Amino acid sequence: MNRITGKTKDETLIEMQNTADSGGEDTIDHIPNSVSLRESQLPGHSESEHVVEIVPFIPSLSGGQSQSANKDSVFFRDGVRRIDFVLSYVEDKNDEKKQERRREFEANLEKVGLELETEDKSQSEDQKTYFLKIHAPWEVLATYADVLKIKVPFKVNDIPSTQEIPMGWLFTPFRLPEHIMNPEPDYFTSHFNKGKIDFFLIDDKETLFPPSTRNRIVYYILSRCPYYKEEHRDKDKKGIKRLLNNGTYISAFPLHDSRYWKKSRNAKCESERYTLYKHWAHFFCFYKEQPLNLIRKYYGEKIGIYFAWLGFYTEMLFFAAVVGLICFISGVLTYNDNIWSKEICDPNIGGNILMCPLCDSKCHFWKLNSTCTASWQSHLFDNVGTVFFAIFMGIWVTLFLEFWKRRQARLEYEWDLVDFEEEQQQLQLRPEYETKCTGRRLNRVTQEMEPYLSVTSKCARFCLSGATVIFWMALICACITGVIAYRLAVYAAFASIMKDSSTSKLQLVGSLITPQLATSVTASCINFVIIMILNFLYERVAIWVTDMEIPKTHLEYENKLTMKMFLFQFVNYYSSCFYVAFFKGKFVGRPGDYHYMFGKLRNEECDPGGCLIELTTQLVIVMAGKQVWGNIQEALVPWLCNWWGSRKARGNSDIVYSRWEQDHDLQNFSQLGLFYEYLEMVIQFGFITLFVASFPLAPLLALFNNILEVRVDAWKLTTQFRRPVAAKARSIGAWLEILNGMAVLSVITNAFIVAFTSDMIPRLVYLYVYQPNKTATMEGYINNSLSVVNISVLVHQPESEEDPPWFNRTTMTTCRYRDYRYPSGHEKEYMHTMQFWHILAAKLAFIIIMEHVVFGVKVFVAWMIPDVPSEVKARIKRERYLVQEYLHNYEVEKLKVQLSQHNGYHSAEQTNAVCAIQNTPEILPECL
């Protein structure tokens, strides 16, 4: 029983092959008797107690004796009963309370009907961990399948599929084999009823419920089973969660069915994990469709619906990325038509325009043509295509959400979620709620006493929670203000350092580096670091605050945490972008009459090329940095943790590295695991919708990230995490409403970006109203957009010894700045001109028109696309009709049999038709 400690091919450091696998034969231990002790004394329990475990006698095995299966198997030592769940613990002889809890808990599990088998610590690789294996027999599965309203097949689906894709042969390279995409036949299903066994299609009771359903049933029992003595009846002492929190057990998890890089040698093991790794988690499968039905079968509907949404979102991003790339390319190709940039770069025009200094002290006058590069960069994103793309994205968001609703409706039907009642889950109280709420009152629905939280306590907790969230949001605003102060403070330093154009000596990029760009990039990087630090801190604060509120149900807990985390991250990630887009450069004042922050720092002006290029820089750094960091963190951190945790297993070759030990050394996939995945994608969704008018390439970056994200999530879930407990979910939950809200907000933000951050509207007003030659050209726009001020009115003028060589104070008495104001000497000097008000009216008109057009199209598209496809509606009606018809016929036949029995005659066939489950185990009320 030696184990190979070397790593081969795709093996991770925590999953090594044993010699039994490499040698081609299973490791076999003979058990001489049909009755075996589960240890001479129960591990971790008092020495005085002995527990006997009954192992069925199986004469078909070697020599008429029972044999133990390979320890890499997912079965008990008899090789027949499947391991549905595993609990692990470390013996603590000094803690009698833990031993008592385990003894009572396991006794109650056996009362419910679960079968237990313990692996001694001497058989584990660390020589100190016990593993309690749990098997749910058919009677328990049937009982709780009835309680949980699990659907099982009763008739083969007889509706021919009409879903055909035009020119489907084009998608052949992206297809997976049919047995991978649809691992199970298509059936009509109905809620399981243990009193009507013969109504359903049951070929084999052992395979009727897949492993994911089995582990969900067992976890339901574990989470509600008490560990108190009958005479004590301490209602708060129940559930595996509390036992994990107090250290009685150290882990609880269902098993993967095989190693991910090779199939199980046991024919009874499905090896679905290997199939998922081969056809889904490999990065080289990035262009293939996802085997959603297999994902759902193995991990459950909740994880399946996440990957379905992520895949659909990635597919829809392809269209937005193509249109955004076309808009960007059009900006590159239309540079020769960019007359205003040519005027800025022209030494005879831009070289003769003296601009007012951008800072109060230690700065220089500068010529307009020094912003030639910034102007050209701005044109790449600030062109006619920007308006088109902003409108397109408003419509794309609607199409994405509407088509997702249709896709979700189809999945609901295919995955038997149509009649799934989330209200049923809402009635299931969290064990933490039952523990912390000492008050009891009568539930009007169940007519039973249940715990409740008083109104006074609830209000106090809510106020504390709200105050905490507001405080952290205020902290974000304070950090953003600090970054703004940094911008103001260091701009002068960068301008002084670069005054002699020392960066121009750098090859390729030297000419692109300006004081404005250096300030913007460094400030964006600092802002990104602050964002990540605040995220790390607030994540723990949000969980603590939500726990403090004591939500009643798991659904309520997730919704509360979702809103807290989203509100915080919305402010954290987007506040700097909102500042640059809508506030920076809008409240500056004018030369000689600037507005100051804190009475000392002058409010920021936009870069001479406009604020749009700064918004683009901010967006690229924050969005790209978050995506790169997120992927590294998701892939690297679990791998490193697993490598470190399994280092002892690599050094001990005398113990077989069993299936439960392999999974025990993996990372735990918490109940909030999907929450963070959704949050990451929703924040990305905000970047590509709220500010997409400033960066048309944002959907392309998101597309590349998501192609990688799908495979990274699949890889870590398949190889680095324990198998999650299967859970049902018919939708993406509260995230859909958040996406709808962001879709509406994106139309408003993009309209304001085009109107107030971009120079599109001022150019159009000049072209059609103020062009002096009344020709359709932009000649003279730059001169028209600059106002004049006397240098003598400047409060803080550059010192004469700092003047550049070309500046002559005697001849150059005025300077220019971006605004529409009357010059000095005019009767309305320094007041806004009529052109300013015309442009403002045009901006407001554009916002109103764009919003009405886009919202009108959104409403029309939403009305044209039904949420549920007609084919799915027909199938749902057909299934409900068949359920009623079959149940009616079943009851009629059952009544005939009963009448026949009452009259004293009945056939064996009629008798079998109404057989019920025998030997039903005791069902503890606390476990329901």
Side-chain angles (χ1 to χ4, degrees):
M1 301 198 320
N2 293 327
R3 179 164 43 84
I4 297 176
T5 57
K7 182 176 182 289
T8 63
K9 200 177 179 181
D10 292 328
E11 298 179 22
T12 60
L13 294 170
I14 61 170
E15 295 191 342
M16 307 299 174
Q17 290 180 318
N18 56 44
T19 55
D21 292 335
S22 60
E25 294 184 0
D26 292 344
T27 303
I28 300 176
D29 295 327
H30 295 287
I31 304 176
N33 301 315
S34 61
V35 179
S36 66
L37 293 179
R38 187 169 27 126
E39 287 303 324
S40 59
Q41 79 176 50
L42 190 62
H45 292 198
S46 62
E47 297 181 359
S48 61
E49 298 210 8
H50 301 272
V51 180
V52 176
E53 179 185 344
I54 306 299
V55 180
F57 180 74
I58 306 174
S60 61
L61 297 178
S62 173
Q65 294 175 328
S66 62
Q67 72 179 31
S68 68
N70 183 353
K71 290 189 72 174
D72 193 38
S73 170
V74 294
F75 293 92
F76 274 19
R77 285 190 289 268
D78 57 21
V80 176
R81 293 173 293 174
R82 189 184 190 98
I83 301 173
D84 296 311
F85 227 86
V86 174
L87 307 182
S88 67
Y89 60 92
V90 177
E91 185 178 14
D92 189 353
K93 295 182 179 180
N94 296 325
D95 194 340
E96 296 181 358
K97 288 185 178 179
K98 291 182 180 180
Q99 297 177 11
E100 178 70 19
R101 292 184 197 126
R102 282 195 291 268
R103 183 164 49 251
E104 296 300 331
F105 187 67
E106 292 167 19
N108 285 328
L109 290 180
E110 290 176 334
K111 287 182 180 179
V112 173
L114 297 179
E115 298 176 3
L116 312 179
E117 183 178 81
T118 301
E119 289 289 329
D120 187 72
K121 66 179 180 179
S122 62
Q123 297 299 315
S124 64
E125 51 88 12
D126 62 1
Q127 300 288 296
K128 61 181 181 180
T129 304
Y130 294 92
F131 291 93
L132 177 66
K133 298 174 288 184
I134 301 175
H135 168 74
W138 163 253
E139 291 79 8
V140 174
L141 293 174
T143 299
Y144 284 90
D146 197 346
V147 172
L148 296 177
K149 305 297 182 183
I150 293 174
K151 286 190 172 184
V152 295
F154 69 91
K155 184 182 186 302
V156 177
N157 193 331
D158 58 359
I159 301 179
S161 177
T162 58
Q163 186 180 6
E164 296 183 0
I165 301 176
M167 302 181 68
W169 56 272
L170 291 175
F171 300 95
T172 302
F174 309 103
R175 300 294 186 197
L176 289 173
E178 179 62 23
H179 71 280
I180 303 298
M181 288 300 298
N182 298 293
E184 295 178 327
D186 190 10
Y187 294 103
F188 289 121
T189 60
S190 178
H191 291 137
F192 184 79
N193 188 329
K194 60 179 294 186
K196 302 175 181 178
I197 297 297
D198 50 331
F199 174 74
F200 304 98
L201 297 178
I202 304 177
D203 296 330
D204 185 357
K205 292 180 179 180
E206 295 300 322
T207 60
L208 175 63
F209 300 108
S212 58
T213 302
R214 296 174 69 102
N215 73 56
R216 185 163 73 94
I217 291 175
V218 173
Y219 183 74
Y220 180 87
I221 298 173
L222 291 175
S223 62
R224 286 159 178 78
C225 190
Y227 55 89
Y228 51 75
K229 292 184 177 180
E230 291 187 4
E231 60 270 18
H232 290 164
R233 312 297 290 179
D234 297 325
K235 295 294 186 180
D236 59 332
K237 293 184 177 181
K238 64 166 56 177
I240 187 62
K241 281 188 176 181
R242 187 159 186 184
L243 290 173
L244 290 171
N245 290 336
N246 60 32
T248 304
Y249 293 98
I250 58 177
S251 65
F253 54 92
L255 290 180
H256 285 293
D257 60 6
S258 67
R259 304 186 181 193
Y260 70 83
W261 68 87
K262 62 182 293 185
K263 287 186 176 181
S264 173
R265 298 184 68 250
N266 190 329
K268 293 182 180 180
C269 295
E270 299 84 358
S271 297
E272 292 174 347
R273 184 191 188 191
Y274 165 79
T275 304
L276 286 170
Y277 177 73
K278 181 179 179 181
H279 296 282
W280 180 48
H282 258 306
F283 176 75
F284 294 107
C285 298
F286 71 90
Y287 62 94
K288 295 283 189 179
E289 60 184 335
Q290 296 188 83
L292 294 177
N293 288 328
L294 185 58
I295 297 170
R296 171 249 181 170
K297 181 184 176 185
Y298 190 75
Y299 288 114
E301 289 79 4
K302 191 170 185 178
I303 290 179
I305 205 79
Y306 164 73
F307 281 102
W309 176 81
L310 180 58
F312 183 80
Y313 172 44
T314 304
E315 292 172 9
M316 291 295 292
L317 272 177
F318 173 79
F319 303 101
V322 169
V323 177
L325 183 60
I326 292 174
C327 291
F328 177 77
I329 293 175
S330 69
V332 176
L333 298 178
T334 58
Y335 176 68
N336 290 330
D337 301 329
N338 182 10
I339 297 177
W340 55 91
S341 291
K342 288 183 177 181
E343 290 183 349
I344 292 175
C345 299
D346 188 345
N348 296 322
I349 301 177
N352 292 326
I353 298 180
L354 177 66
M355 301 299 293
C356 299
L358 289 177
C359 56
D360 293 335
S361 61
K362 294 186 180 180
C363 289
H364 308 276
F365 292 103
W366 50 280
K367 292 185 179 180
L368 183 60
N369 64 351
S370 65
T371 64
C372 176
T373 301
S375 176
W376 182 82
Q377 293 171 344
S378 179
H379 175 71
L380 297 178
F381 309 104
D382 188 6
N383 52 66
V384 178
T386 300
V387 180
F388 166 78
F389 190 59
I391 296 174
F392 168 81
M393 286 302 294
I395 300 173
W396 175 88
V397 169
T398 303
L399 290 173
F400 163 63
L401 294 175
E402 293 301 320
F403 280 124
W404 165 247
K405 291 176 184 177
R406 290 173 60 86
R407 176 68 172 139
Q408 183 174 272
R410 189 178 297 277
L411 289 176
E412 284 183 22
Y413 170 74
E414 293 176 355
W415 292 356
D416 296 327
L417 299 171
V418 174
D419 297 324
F420 173 65
E421 297 294 339
E422 293 186 353
E423 290 78 8
Q424 180 185 358
Q425 283 192 340
Q426 293 178 11
L427 293 175
Q428 299 172 6
L429 303 182
R430 294 173 65 237
E432 295 85 352
Y433 180 84
E434 297 177 290
T435 300
K436 296 179 181 179
C437 297
T438 56
R440 293 289 188 273
R441 69 178 178 184
L442 183 67
N443 186 315
R444 296 182 180 179
V445 178
T446 63
Q447 291 297 307
E448 295 180 358
M449 299 299 292
E450 66 174 13
Y452 82 102
L453 193 64
S454 65
V455 176
T456 304
S457 178
K458 189 179 296 185
C459 290
R461 294 172 186 271
F462 177 79
C463 292
L464 179 59
S465 172
T468 304
V469 174
I470 293 174
F471 168 79
W472 279 85
M473 289 186 178
L475 183 61
I476 296 173
C477 296
C479 292
I480 296 300
T481 304
V483 174
I484 295 171
Y486 165 85
R487 290 174 182 264
L488 298 175
V490 303
Y491 177 82
F494 278 121
S496 178
I497 294 172
M498 300 177 183
K499 66 180 180 179
D500 297 324
S501 300
S502 58
T503 56
S504 62
K505 298 177 182 179
L506 299 176
Q507 295 182 356
L508 299 177
V509 299
S511 60
L512 304 179
I513 300 177
T514 63
Q516 295 84 4
L517 180 62
T519 304
S520 179
V521 170
T522 55
S524 298
C525 292
I526 293 173
N527 183 65
F528 174 72
V529 173
I530 293 174
I531 285 173
M532 301 311 296
I533 293 174
L534 290 178
N535 269 348
F536 176 80
L537 297 175
Y538 183 77
E539 176 182 326
R540 286 146 182 79
V541 173
I543 293 175
W544 174 78
V545 170
T546 307
D547 289 338
M548 182 268 300
E549 291 183 32
I550 318 180
K552 187 174 183 180
T553 65
H554 291 290
L555 187 62
E556 183 180 350
Y557 181 90
E558 288 190 9
N559 288 340
K560 286 179 177 291
L561 185 61
T562 296
M563 293 309 300
K564 289 181 180 66
M565 288 295 295
F566 175 74
L567 285 175
F568 175 81
Q569 295 216 9
F570 183 92
V571 177
N572 197 20
Y573 279 107
Y574 303 144
S575 57
S576 58
C577 294
F578 272 103
Y579 165 73
V580 174
F582 306 124
F583 297 98
K584 184 177 180 179
K586 306 300 187 293
F587 310 99
V588 177
R590 60 174 179 81
D593 187 22
Y594 287 121
H595 299 160
Y596 291 83
M597 181 174 61
F598 308 129
K600 295 181 179 180
L601 299 175
R602 183 158 66 83
N603 290 343
E604 276 193 287
E605 290 187 61
C606 289
D607 185 277
C611 273
L612 193 69
I613 190 64
E614 294 191 45
L615 177 59
T616 302
T617 303
Q618 181 78 21
L619 190 64
V620 170
I621 290 177
V622 176
M623 179 181 175
K626 180 183 183 301
Q627 293 182 165
V628 171
W629 174 254
N631 284 323
I632 292 176
Q633 189 178 30
E634 288 185 14
L636 189 60
V637 172
W639 182 85
L640 288 175
C641 292
N642 288 334
W643 173 83
W644 180 256
S646 64
R647 65 194 186 282
K648 291 184 179 179
R650 298 192 301 276
N652 188 351
S653 60
D654 296 331
I655 305 299
V656 175
Y657 201 27
S658 61
R659 160 75 16 231
W660 42 91
E661 289 175 283
Q662 294 173 32
D663 286 7
H664 178 266
D665 287 340
L666 296 174
Q667 295 297 296
N668 180 45
F669 192 82
S670 68
Q671 285 189 328
L672 297 177
L674 282 184
F675 167 80
Y676 295 112
E677 301 295 343
Y678 275 119
L679 182 61
E680 179 185 4
M681 288 296 102
V682 169
I683 293 298
Q684 182 205 81
F685 181 82
F687 280 122
I688 70 165
T689 54
L690 296 176
F691 309 102
V692 74
S694 66
F695 187 47
L697 294 180
L700 185 63
L701 289 181
L703 175 63
F704 289 148
N705 174 80
N706 286 10
I707 291 174
L708 181 63
E709 180 77 20
V710 172
R711 305 305 159 178
V712 169
D713 287 349
W715 173 81
K716 72 178 184 181
L717 196 63
T718 307
T719 67
Q720 303 301 311
F721 283 91
R722 298 170 186 162
R723 186 174 184 172
V725 179
K728 279 186 174 290
R730 61 182 301 175
S731 67
I732 62 175
W735 298 110
L736 185 60
E737 296 302 321
I738 291 175
L739 292 175
N740 278 318
M742 296 182 73
V744 173
L745 182 61
S746 68
V747 177
I748 301 173
T749 56
N750 284 301
F752 273 86
I753 287 174
V754 173
F756 287 97
T757 309
S758 166
D759 281 342
M760 185 62 60
I761 303 301
R763 292 171 193 158
L764 293 176
V765 171
Y766 173 81
L767 180 64
Y768 293 108
V769 179
Y770 288 93
Q771 219 287 340
N773 299 324
K774 303 301 180 182
T775 58
T777 65
M778 293 297 295
E779 293 181 359
Y781 168 73
I782 292 299
N783 185 66
N784 176 267
S785 64
L786 298 175
S787 297
V788 181
V789 65
N790 286 332
I791 294 178
S792 59
V793 305
L794 300 180
V795 177
H796 299 282
Q797 298 186 18
E799 298 179 5
S800 58
E801 59 271 15
E802 298 290 337
D803 290 341
W806 50 263
F807 181 70
N808 189 336
R809 287 182 176 265
T810 58
T811 58
M812 298 179 177
T813 58
T814 60
C815 61
R816 311 291 293 274
Y817 62 99
R818 287 174 59 88
D819 207 343
Y820 295 92
R821 294 178 183 270
Y822 291 108
S824 57
H826 194 279
E827 61 180 1
K828 298 181 180 179
E829 66 175 359
Y830 304 132
M831 294 180 64
H832 287 119
T833 64
M834 186 57 66
Q835 184 175 355
F836 170 85
W837 299 109
H838 286 168
I839 292 174
L840 180 61
K843 289 178 178 180
L844 296 177
F846 171 81
I847 292 172
I848 294 173
I849 293 173
M850 178 178 170
E851 288 181 356
H852 280 70
V853 169
V854 175
F855 281 133
V857 173
K858 283 169 66 70
V859 172
F860 177 75
V861 169
W863 174 75
M864 285 289 293
I865 302 176
D867 292 347
V868 182
S870 58
E871 176 193 1
V872 173
K873 290 181 179 179
R875 286 173 175 264
I876 293 174
K877 291 179 180 179
R878 170 70 174 165
E879 182 168 315
R880 288 175 175 170
Y881 166 76
L882 287 176
V883 170
Q884 293 178 353
E885 182 183 36
Y886 273 56
L887 279 175
H888 173 74
N889 294 337
Y890 174 84
E891 294 296 340
V892 170
E893 293 298 324
K894 185 177 180 180
L895 181 60
K896 290 181 180 179
V897 172
Q898 291 176 347
L899 291 175
S900 299
Q901 292 176 346
H902 180 71
N903 293 330
Y905 61 91
H906 57 273
S907 64
E909 179 180 355
Q910 290 172 328
T911 302
N912 293 333
V914 292
C915 284
I917 297 177
Q918 301 298 323
N919 300 324
T920 301
E922 175 185 358
I923 303 299
L924 299 179
E926 297 86 351
C927 297
L928 290 176

